[in-house]
Amino acid sequence: MEAMIERCAGLDVHQETVVACVLFGPLDKKPKTSIETFSTTTTGLLALSDWLATFQVSDVVMESTGVYWKPIWNILEGSFHLVLANARHVKNVPGRKTDVKDAEWLAKLLRCGLIESNFVPPENIRDLRDLTRYRKKLIHHRTSEQNRIHKILQDANIKLTSVLSDIFGVSGRRILEAILNGEKIETDGLRKMVDWRTKASI
């Protein structure tokens, strides 16, 4: 394989550690190798960044398995040209079973330009995606709990849905709170609770 990058590194990422393998040297000769293991704490990742800088590494590759690559990407972004490899494209082959060998294999593929990077959006877009996903999750949880309350009310033969179009509106929450407080709700009291501007009749 023809080498294309003089100084590059492959990272084998795990939850608590990351094994880094640096390949450096002239493109027409066999590269020299340096391997170190770092913790995935912020201090450890900063040490990794400094270590890579001492070798004047220009390109760094890691696999996109799980979510463990994200904090490493955040630390190294801006200092190196980062490549996020699809795990299926650089999958293990027989005989490569250790973390060191995995890191070295990634570095060799990168040095020869044989890894196509996955698209990683800019940091602000990544943050927006995380917030959007979290918002969707919260909405899903809220809907699940509302459905649970609907079921409990139906099981108890409390037909609020035939009285209110939205039992989680202002009036609906007042009625639910009164039920939780053990209050006996008569028709006159119900009329006072219901917002007649949104519901013309009961």
Side-chain angles (χ1 to χ4, degrees):
M1 296 185 293
E2 182 180 354
M4 301 176 62
I5 303 175
E6 286 190 355
R7 297 174 179 271
C8 63
L11 306 180
D12 188 57
V13 180
H14 300 275
Q15 182 176 0
E16 297 181 357
T17 60
V18 51
V19 178
C21 174
V22 172
L23 298 181
F24 58 99
L27 298 179
D28 58 347
K29 295 182 180 180
K30 183 178 180 179
K32 296 179 182 179
T33 303
S34 183
I35 299 174
E36 289 286 346
T37 299
F38 299 87
S39 72
T40 51
T41 62
T42 300
T43 301
L45 295 180
L46 290 174
L48 168 63
S49 180
D50 293 340
W51 183 76
L52 294 173
T54 60
F55 288 95
Q56 298 179 338
V57 168
S58 59
D59 297 68
V60 178
V61 62
M62 67 192 81
E63 291 185 28
S64 59
T65 50
V67 297
Y68 300 141
W69 64 272
K70 291 184 178 181
I72 300 173
W73 187 283
N74 292 336
I75 294 291
L76 301 183
E77 188 176 23
S79 300
F80 309 93
H81 175 254
L82 300 180
V83 176
L84 185 64
N86 189 314
R88 290 178 298 176
H89 297 164
V90 293
K91 62 181 179 180
N92 290 344
V93 296
R96 294 195 310 102
K97 299 298 183 182
T98 67
D99 299 340
V100 170
K101 289 294 185 181
D102 284 342
E104 187 176 2
W105 175 249
L106 288 172
K108 287 180 178 179
L109 291 178
L110 179 63
R111 180 174 168 86
C112 297
L114 297 178
I115 297 181
E116 182 178 353
S117 177
N118 287 342
F119 172 71
V120 179
E123 183 179 3
N124 59 335
I125 301 299
R126 297 201 302 270
D127 291 342
L128 181 60
R129 281 183 174 183
D130 288 340
L131 288 174
T132 301
R133 291 191 186 102
Y134 183 57
R135 181 178 182 274
K136 289 178 65 176
K137 185 176 293 186
L138 290 178
I139 291 174
H140 175 73
H141 289 330
R142 183 186 65 182
T143 302
S144 297
E145 292 304 316
Q146 288 177 342
N147 291 337
R148 189 189 306 274
I149 293 173
H150 272 292
K151 183 179 183 302
I152 292 173
L153 292 174
Q154 290 297 326
D155 290 346
N157 202 29
I158 301 175
K159 307 297 184 180
L160 283 184
T161 52
S162 63
V163 177
L164 299 170
S165 58
D166 180 14
I167 66 172
F168 299 103
V170 175
S171 299
R173 291 198 300 271
R174 288 175 181 171
I175 296 173
L176 290 174
E177 185 176 354
I179 293 174
L180 290 174
N181 292 333
E183 299 179 20
K184 184 177 180 181
I185 304 176
E186 303 291 350
T187 302
D188 291 340
L190 189 59
R191 286 197 178 96
K192 295 179 181 179
M193 294 181 183
V194 174
D195 186 355
W196 289 91
R197 291 173 298 179
T198 58
K199 189 70 176 179
S201 65
I202 57 171

